[in-house]
Amino acid sequence: MKNPDGNNAEKWLKKIGEFVKRLGQSINSRLQRIFTKENAARTKDKALLWEQKTHKRINQSKTSLRKMKHKLDTETNMKPLLSKGAFGLNVFFGVIRNIFTGIILLMVLLGMFGGGAGLGYFANLISKETAPTYESMAEDIGNVELVSTMYYANSEAISEIRTDLVRTTVGSENISPLIKEALIATEDENFYEHNGIVPKAILRALVTELTGFGSQSGGSTLTQQLVKQQILTNEVTFSRKANEILLALRLENFFTKDEILTAYLNVSPFGRNSSGSNIAGIEEAANGIFGVHAIDVSLAQAAFLVGIPQNPYTYTPFTQYGERKEDLTAALNRKNTVLFRMLSEGYITKEEYDAAIAYDITQDFVPANATQEDRNSYLYQAVEREAILVLMEQAAAANELTMDDLEADIELYNEYYANADNTLRLSGYNVYSTIDKDVYNGMQEVAADYGQTLGETFVDSYVDANGVTQEVIELAQTGSVLIENQTGRIIGFIGGRDFSVNQVDHVFSTKRSPGSTIKPLLVYAPAIEQNLIYPASMVPDTKISIKQPDGTLWEPTNFGDTISNTYVTARQALYQSKNNPTIKLYVAMNSKGMNPGQYLEKMGITSIDESEYGNPSLAIGATNDGPTVLEQTSAFTTFATGGEHVSPYLIETITDKHGNVVYQHESEATRVFSQDTAYLTLDILRDVITDGTGRSINNYLNFNADWAGKTGTSEANRDIWFIASTPTVTLSSWMGYDNYKGEHVFYDPNNQGLPTGRNLNYWSQIANKIYSINPGILGTDQTHQRPEGIVEKSVLAETGTLAGTVSFANGLSVTLNGGTRTDLFKADALPKQISYYFSPGATDKDLEDYWDSYLAEAAARRNAAAAAAAAAASQNNAANNADEAEKEDSTEEEDAETPPDTEPEGETPPADETPTTEE
């Protein structure tokens, strides 16, 4: 019996073969146009070889079909069955043939269209690229020392970025074949067969990327990985990927497989060694982890080393301090994966595999040998750290992650940090900071000249883990930063007193209690914003007694353990930094659901957890984990910018070794308060300088400026603050002790005056130095501009409201219309009408006590007025009687000339004694 379907299959395969041949020729022609002339012949040969292999596979398929056809025609025991089902099979195969042919034709058409479009798109992506020469590619893949540099704002170099990277390059003959075999088996099993790329792997990766289906297996060969590491960037774009493919093909034309493999092993990162240093290159990895040369490693050692580059800082066995990691599970599992791949690819036998799996590789690790790295300045340290964070955030964003995502996963954070750190040190980057060199150096001079005036230096003793007594020097530390209000640019800062004694950065890193500097940020500005108060509002300075979870009572007082038991204006409460009125306002805001804590995060203070927002003591700066000096200073710029907060930044631009911009800072403003709220708060902070707790700076400054600021002192004088703004900049000063091994606070051992006074003097010297270097920075010729929405109005001095009548439950009413004061108001939040509840923040008891006292005083005034009136009337009567008697005597003497029916003039009626009080 004939089998027509077998003949059709042969025809179909022949057509497919012809199509593949034409497609191969088309691709070969396109590649010839893409590549340069010198390698066109080689590319053509490879394309023809691929075509020949395809024809070979098709011929093999034809042979298989012929054998199957012959078997069906000649097998006698199958003939009866086939004869009976011939008709059914013909129908079945006809249907299947039509369906299959339709699918194949559709796939061919889609393939032709997609292939043409893909090649066209590929050609377009690389059309503007210049093919690199052999010399340039040789330089790139062999370039392992790319030094990055950091700069001041004026492009003058601060320093080259040091790298702790340890690398020793070796030739191919000095690398064990076990390492090469392990690498190929694990990362690129077709390394010796492909010409730089594996099309099906690229297609698989592309489909996965576009559809989201399939495993996230990479499509990169070792050649492509070398190109990505040494020639291109880690940028995730189709253009970069297209160039990667082109360069990988070109690299394979210029270099042998062994040269590519050796270069890859010499440039790849391998985590850390037993000293905690970063290591790169297989020789340094073998020596730094196992204490042997790369040529001498065992099978288990080779598998462990080859597994590291996939994720160096996860699989490395040592920490940054040179200590062995406690948990090596991930690294050991990775080693076993490499061994399995070697077994699967036939590089090792089952016996060798079993022995290597069973071997305890940890016994080969060299002992820890940690070394201390010298860091020479707060500036170097800060710029380096901030640049790493910038690159981390940039890399995270490329993978649709945020810094919050990284911080929620410590392993992920460490991975991104390590990658960014490695990129910064080894990529030849130029990092341009915002720091004004002259201003920065001037601020350091002030810290050196006046730092000793801040407080005593202590020497604390302690016994270390080895039982040896050690000593640590405790300086009175300082942190100061100068920020440009409108942009957030950090112009200069003081990270600490002496870097050689203490390397902790007290601007960017340490978190301290903000003390009273938090009051305008958390209480007064939010209260003004939500129209709970205006500067003239009267708030109670009365006793507070709050029961705490441990059963004790929290009873705060103002400075000097005083409580005035009076009502003061909100303006006075802030510029005199009174605690009790501030706490009462904060409690009232929370009870009304105003959530004042929400404003902190908008101003960049993220280190105070939301769980603390309900704590009344937060209103005066008591917090578990306060802001950094940078955060707190930056928050104050919000008032000088009309209520918008611009995040502070230290890195302006990062460029690569070719001058291409890798990162460019872009400032973004967040609206926190309205312009009117910001100005009213700022106007009160002006009073801090003229009449309040910061007025002593006027005795120290060598110039005048429109300053608005706030002092702050935390509990027991642990933290001393002053932050002030002009229209252009905000300058801060903090001082405190780190207290590593002791507990030290500020007091007055040498009659130096209050710690706040010393800090104000120190802050003033910093400002004077900046002014002497560049007066224009401080904006001395400018003033804070009043918005159009601010108006002046008068209110009763007694209540901070309009005059009017207050009625009480007992039917009594009093009219208040006495002395007034003038203050500033928002045009859309004018003075309030008088009422029983005139005082924001006052408790029921506060109000009851006030009005009882007021009515008692009013009654006393009325009684006194009545008594005075009665006394006056009595005196008038007595005087009138005396006058009458005198007149009578005079009349008698003058023979009584008055007509007998004439009456004396009547008395003036007494004054109305209606119980109304006037003041």
Side-chain angles (χ1 to χ4, degrees), residues 801-842:
T801 65
L802 298 174
T805 299
V806 178
S807 299
F808 299 90
N810 60 7
L812 183 65
S813 64
V814 294
T815 300
L816 290 85
N817 56 1
T820 62
R821 67 164 53 90
T822 300
D823 212 322
L824 300 178
F825 296 82
K826 295 191 287 186
D828 58 359
L830 297 174
K832 299 177 181 179
Q833 297 293 331
I834 183 63
S835 76
Y836 180 89
Y837 303 97
F838 72 96
S839 176

Short mmCIF file of all heavy atoms in Angstrom, two decimals, residues 801-842:
data_model
loop_
_atom_site.label_atom_id
_atom_site.label_comp_id
_atom_site.label_asym_id
_atom_site.label_seq_id
_atom_site.Cartn_x
_atom_site.Cartn_y
_atom_site.Cartn_z
N THR A 801 -8.85 87.20 70.74
CA THR A 801 -10.03 87.13 69.88
C THR A 801 -10.60 88.52 69.68
O THR A 801 -10.08 89.51 70.21
CB THR A 801 -11.12 86.25 70.52
OG1 THR A 801 -11.57 86.88 71.74
CG2 THR A 801 -10.59 84.85 70.84
N LEU A 802 -11.68 88.58 68.90
CA LEU A 802 -12.41 89.84 68.78
C LEU A 802 -13.17 90.13 70.06
O LEU A 802 -13.44 89.23 70.86
CB LEU A 802 -13.39 89.75 67.60
CG LEU A 802 -12.75 89.52 66.21
CD1 LEU A 802 -13.85 89.32 65.17
CD2 LEU A 802 -11.85 90.69 65.83
N ALA A 803 -13.51 91.40 70.26
CA ALA A 803 -14.30 91.78 71.42
C ALA A 803 -15.71 91.20 71.28
O ALA A 803 -16.20 90.95 70.18
CB ALA A 803 -14.35 93.29 71.55
N GLY A 804 -16.35 90.98 72.40
CA GLY A 804 -17.71 90.45 72.35
C GLY A 804 -18.17 90.01 73.72
O GLY A 804 -17.52 90.27 74.75
N THR A 805 -19.31 89.33 73.74
CA THR A 805 -19.94 88.90 74.98
C THR A 805 -19.89 87.39 75.09
O THR A 805 -20.15 86.67 74.13
CB THR A 805 -21.39 89.37 75.04
OG1 THR A 805 -21.42 90.81 74.97
CG2 THR A 805 -22.06 88.91 76.33
N VAL A 806 -19.59 86.93 76.31
CA VAL A 806 -19.58 85.49 76.60
C VAL A 806 -20.68 85.22 77.61
O VAL A 806 -20.75 85.86 78.66
CB VAL A 806 -18.22 85.04 77.17
CG1 VAL A 806 -18.26 83.55 77.52
CG2 VAL A 806 -17.11 85.34 76.18
N SER A 807 -21.53 84.26 77.29
CA SER A 807 -22.62 83.89 78.18
C SER A 807 -22.29 82.58 78.87
O SER A 807 -21.70 81.67 78.28
CB SER A 807 -23.93 83.75 77.40
OG SER A 807 -24.28 84.97 76.79
N PHE A 808 -22.73 82.47 80.13
CA PHE A 808 -22.45 81.28 80.91
C PHE A 808 -23.74 80.54 81.21
O PHE A 808 -24.85 81.07 81.05
CB PHE A 808 -21.75 81.65 82.22
CG PHE A 808 -20.43 82.34 81.99
CD1 PHE A 808 -20.35 83.73 81.88
CD2 PHE A 808 -19.26 81.60 81.87
CE1 PHE A 808 -19.15 84.36 81.64
CE2 PHE A 808 -18.05 82.23 81.64
CZ PHE A 808 -17.99 83.61 81.53
N ALA A 809 -23.59 79.29 81.66
CA ALA A 809 -24.76 78.43 81.90
C ALA A 809 -25.67 78.99 82.97
O ALA A 809 -26.88 78.75 82.96
CB ALA A 809 -24.29 77.02 82.27
N ASN A 810 -25.12 79.75 83.90
CA ASN A 810 -25.94 80.30 84.99
C ASN A 810 -26.67 81.58 84.60
O ASN A 810 -27.30 82.23 85.43
CB ASN A 810 -25.08 80.56 86.22
CG ASN A 810 -23.96 81.54 85.94
OD1 ASN A 810 -23.89 82.14 84.86
ND2 ASN A 810 -23.05 81.72 86.90
N GLY A 811 -26.57 81.93 83.32
CA GLY A 811 -27.28 83.11 82.84
C GLY A 811 -26.48 84.38 82.88
O GLY A 811 -26.88 85.39 82.31
N LEU A 812 -25.34 84.32 83.54
CA LEU A 812 -24.49 85.50 83.62
C LEU A 812 -23.77 85.69 82.30
O LEU A 812 -23.43 84.75 81.61
CB LEU A 812 -23.47 85.33 84.75
CG LEU A 812 -22.54 86.51 85.03
CD1 LEU A 812 -23.34 87.72 85.54
CD2 LEU A 812 -21.47 86.11 86.03
N SER A 813 -23.52 86.90 81.93
CA SER A 813 -22.75 87.19 80.72
C SER A 813 -21.80 88.33 81.00
O SER A 813 -22.08 89.19 81.85
CB SER A 813 -23.68 87.56 79.56
OG SER A 813 -24.38 88.76 79.84
N VAL A 814 -20.69 88.29 80.29
CA VAL A 814 -19.70 89.35 80.44
C VAL A 814 -19.31 89.84 79.05
O VAL A 814 -19.25 89.05 78.10
CB VAL A 814 -18.45 88.89 81.21
CG1 VAL A 814 -18.77 88.56 82.64
CG2 VAL A 814 -17.80 87.70 80.52
N THR A 815 -19.06 91.09 78.94
CA THR A 815 -18.63 91.69 77.67
C THR A 815 -17.17 92.09 77.79
O THR A 815 -16.80 92.81 78.71
CB THR A 815 -19.49 92.90 77.32
OG1 THR A 815 -20.85 92.49 77.20
CG2 THR A 815 -19.02 93.52 76.01
N LEU A 816 -16.37 91.58 76.85
CA LEU A 816 -14.95 91.89 76.87
C LEU A 816 -14.65 92.82 75.70
O LEU A 816 -14.90 92.49 74.55
CB LEU A 816 -14.11 90.61 76.72
CG LEU A 816 -14.12 89.65 77.92
CD1 LEU A 816 -15.32 88.73 77.85
CD2 LEU A 816 -12.83 88.84 77.96
N ASN A 817 -14.12 94.00 76.00
CA ASN A 817 -13.75 94.95 74.95
C ASN A 817 -12.67 95.90 75.44
O ASN A 817 -12.73 97.09 75.22
CB ASN A 817 -14.98 95.74 74.48
CG ASN A 817 -15.67 96.46 75.64
OD1 ASN A 817 -15.21 96.38 76.78
ND2 ASN A 817 -16.75 97.16 75.34
N GLY A 818 -11.65 95.26 76.07
CA GLY A 818 -10.59 96.07 76.66
C GLY A 818 -9.41 96.31 75.74
O GLY A 818 -9.55 96.52 74.54
N GLY A 819 -8.18 96.19 76.31
CA GLY A 819 -6.95 96.46 75.60
C GLY A 819 -6.73 95.49 74.43
O GLY A 819 -7.16 94.34 74.47
N THR A 820 -6.04 95.95 73.40
CA THR A 820 -5.84 95.13 72.20
C THR A 820 -4.35 95.05 71.86
O THR A 820 -3.53 95.81 72.36
CB THR A 820 -6.58 95.72 71.00
OG1 THR A 820 -6.05 97.02 70.71
CG2 THR A 820 -8.07 95.80 71.26
N ARG A 821 -4.05 94.08 70.97
CA ARG A 821 -2.71 93.98 70.38
C ARG A 821 -2.88 93.68 68.89
O ARG A 821 -3.87 93.07 68.48
CB ARG A 821 -1.88 92.89 71.06
CG ARG A 821 -2.36 91.49 70.86
CD ARG A 821 -1.25 90.48 71.22
NE ARG A 821 -0.69 90.68 72.52
CZ ARG A 821 -1.13 90.13 73.66
NH1 ARG A 821 -2.16 89.31 73.60
NH2 ARG A 821 -0.56 90.36 74.80
N THR A 822 -1.91 94.09 68.10
CA THR A 822 -1.95 93.89 66.66
C THR A 822 -0.96 92.78 66.27
O THR A 822 0.17 92.74 66.77
CB THR A 822 -1.60 95.18 65.91
OG1 THR A 822 -2.55 96.19 66.28
CG2 THR A 822 -1.64 94.97 64.41
N ASP A 823 -1.40 91.91 65.37
CA ASP A 823 -0.54 90.81 64.93
C ASP A 823 -0.87 90.46 63.48
O ASP A 823 -1.75 91.09 62.86
CB ASP A 823 -0.70 89.58 65.84
CG ASP A 823 0.60 88.78 65.95
OD1 ASP A 823 1.30 88.68 64.93
OD2 ASP A 823 0.90 88.27 67.04
N LEU A 824 -0.19 89.45 62.96
CA LEU A 824 -0.38 89.01 61.58
C LEU A 824 -1.36 87.84 61.51
O LEU A 824 -1.37 86.98 62.39
CB LEU A 824 0.96 88.59 60.96
CG LEU A 824 2.05 89.65 60.90
CD1 LEU A 824 3.32 89.06 60.32
CD2 LEU A 824 1.60 90.85 60.09
N PHE A 825 -2.15 87.83 60.43
CA PHE A 825 -3.15 86.79 60.24
C PHE A 825 -3.19 86.39 58.77
O PHE A 825 -2.82 87.16 57.89
CB PHE A 825 -4.54 87.28 60.66
CG PHE A 825 -4.66 87.61 62.11
CD1 PHE A 825 -4.24 88.84 62.60
CD2 PHE A 825 -5.19 86.69 63.00
CE1 PHE A 825 -4.35 89.16 63.94
CE2 PHE A 825 -5.30 86.99 64.35
CZ PHE A 825 -4.88 88.23 64.82
N LYS A 826 -3.66 85.18 58.53
CA LYS A 826 -3.99 84.79 57.16
C LYS A 826 -5.31 85.45 56.78
O LYS A 826 -6.24 85.48 57.59
CB LYS A 826 -4.11 83.26 57.06
CG LYS A 826 -2.81 82.53 57.30
CD LYS A 826 -2.90 81.05 56.93
CE LYS A 826 -3.71 80.25 57.91
NZ LYS A 826 -3.67 78.79 57.62
N ALA A 827 -5.36 85.93 55.57
CA ALA A 827 -6.57 86.61 55.14
C ALA A 827 -7.79 85.69 55.15
O ALA A 827 -8.92 86.16 55.29
CB ALA A 827 -6.38 87.20 53.74
N ASP A 828 -7.57 84.40 55.02
CA ASP A 828 -8.68 83.46 55.06
C ASP A 828 -8.86 82.81 56.42
O ASP A 828 -9.60 81.83 56.57
CB ASP A 828 -8.51 82.38 53.99
CG ASP A 828 -7.21 81.59 54.16
OD1 ASP A 828 -6.43 81.90 55.10
OD2 ASP A 828 -6.96 80.67 53.36
N ALA A 829 -8.16 83.32 57.44
CA ALA A 829 -8.32 82.82 58.81
C ALA A 829 -8.13 84.00 59.76
O ALA A 829 -7.14 84.09 60.49
CB ALA A 829 -7.32 81.71 59.10
N LEU A 830 -9.09 84.91 59.73
CA LEU A 830 -9.03 86.15 60.53
C LEU A 830 -9.31 85.86 62.00
O LEU A 830 -9.70 84.75 62.35
CB LEU A 830 -10.01 87.15 59.95
CG LEU A 830 -9.70 87.60 58.51
CD1 LEU A 830 -10.83 88.49 57.97
CD2 LEU A 830 -8.36 88.33 58.44
N PRO A 831 -9.14 86.87 62.87
CA PRO A 831 -9.37 86.64 64.30
C PRO A 831 -10.74 86.02 64.59
O PRO A 831 -11.74 86.37 63.95
CB PRO A 831 -9.26 88.05 64.88
CG PRO A 831 -8.35 88.77 63.94
CD PRO A 831 -8.67 88.24 62.60
N LYS A 832 -10.78 85.15 65.56
CA LYS A 832 -11.99 84.42 65.89
C LYS A 832 -12.87 85.24 66.83
O LYS A 832 -12.40 86.11 67.58
CB LYS A 832 -11.64 83.08 66.52
CG LYS A 832 -10.83 82.18 65.60
CD LYS A 832 -10.45 80.88 66.28
CE LYS A 832 -9.61 80.01 65.33
NZ LYS A 832 -9.19 78.73 65.96
N GLN A 833 -14.14 84.92 66.82
CA GLN A 833 -15.07 85.54 67.76
C GLN A 833 -14.79 85.03 69.17
O GLN A 833 -14.38 83.90 69.37
CB GLN A 833 -16.53 85.20 67.37
CG GLN A 833 -16.96 85.74 66.02
CD GLN A 833 -17.03 87.26 66.00
OE1 GLN A 833 -17.30 87.90 67.03
NE2 GLN A 833 -16.79 87.85 64.83
N ILE A 834 -15.06 85.90 70.15
CA ILE A 834 -14.88 85.50 71.53
C ILE A 834 -15.86 84.39 71.90
O ILE A 834 -17.00 84.39 71.46
CB ILE A 834 -15.07 86.71 72.49
CG1 ILE A 834 -14.81 86.31 73.94
CG2 ILE A 834 -16.46 87.29 72.32
CD1 ILE A 834 -13.41 85.87 74.21
N SER A 835 -15.38 83.41 72.64
CA SER A 835 -16.25 82.35 73.14
C SER A 835 -15.63 81.80 74.42
O SER A 835 -14.48 82.11 74.77
CB SER A 835 -16.42 81.24 72.11
OG SER A 835 -15.26 80.43 72.06
N TYR A 836 -16.39 80.95 75.08
CA TYR A 836 -15.90 80.30 76.29
C TYR A 836 -14.63 79.51 75.97
O TYR A 836 -13.71 79.46 76.77
CB TYR A 836 -17.00 79.39 76.83
CG TYR A 836 -16.62 78.64 78.09
CD1 TYR A 836 -16.85 79.20 79.35
CD2 TYR A 836 -16.07 77.37 78.03
CE1 TYR A 836 -16.51 78.50 80.51
CE2 TYR A 836 -15.73 76.67 79.17
CZ TYR A 836 -15.95 77.24 80.41
OH TYR A 836 -15.63 76.56 81.56
N TYR A 837 -14.59 78.91 74.78
CA TYR A 837 -13.46 78.06 74.36
C TYR A 837 -12.47 78.87 73.52
O TYR A 837 -12.10 78.49 72.43
CB TYR A 837 -13.97 76.86 73.57
CG TYR A 837 -14.96 76.02 74.33
CD1 TYR A 837 -16.33 76.20 74.14
CD2 TYR A 837 -14.54 75.09 75.27
CE1 TYR A 837 -17.25 75.44 74.84
CE2 TYR A 837 -15.46 74.33 75.98
CZ TYR A 837 -16.80 74.50 75.77
OH TYR A 837 -17.72 73.76 76.48
N PHE A 838 -12.05 79.99 74.04
CA PHE A 838 -11.21 80.91 73.28
C PHE A 838 -9.79 80.42 73.11
O PHE A 838 -9.08 80.86 72.22
CB PHE A 838 -11.17 82.28 73.99
CG PHE A 838 -10.37 82.26 75.27
CD1 PHE A 838 -9.03 82.65 75.29
CD2 PHE A 838 -10.94 81.83 76.46
CE1 PHE A 838 -8.30 82.63 76.45
CE2 PHE A 838 -10.20 81.79 77.63
CZ PHE A 838 -8.88 82.20 77.64
N SER A 839 -9.32 79.47 73.96
CA SER A 839 -7.91 79.10 74.01
C SER A 839 -7.67 77.72 73.41
O SER A 839 -8.03 76.70 74.01
CB SER A 839 -7.40 79.11 75.46
OG SER A 839 -6.06 78.66 75.52
N PRO A 840 -7.03 77.62 72.23
CA PRO A 840 -6.67 76.31 71.66
C PRO A 840 -5.71 75.57 72.60
O PRO A 840 -4.75 76.16 73.11
CB PRO A 840 -5.99 76.65 70.35
CG PRO A 840 -6.39 78.05 70.05
CD PRO A 840 -6.58 78.72 71.37
N GLY A 841 -5.98 74.32 72.82
CA GLY A 841 -5.10 73.53 73.68
C GLY A 841 -5.49 73.52 75.13
O GLY A 841 -4.98 72.72 75.91
N ALA A 842 -6.39 74.41 75.53
CA ALA A 842 -6.79 74.46 76.93
C ALA A 842 -7.70 73.28 77.27
O ALA A 842 -8.58 72.91 76.49
CB ALA A 842 -7.51 75.77 77.23
#
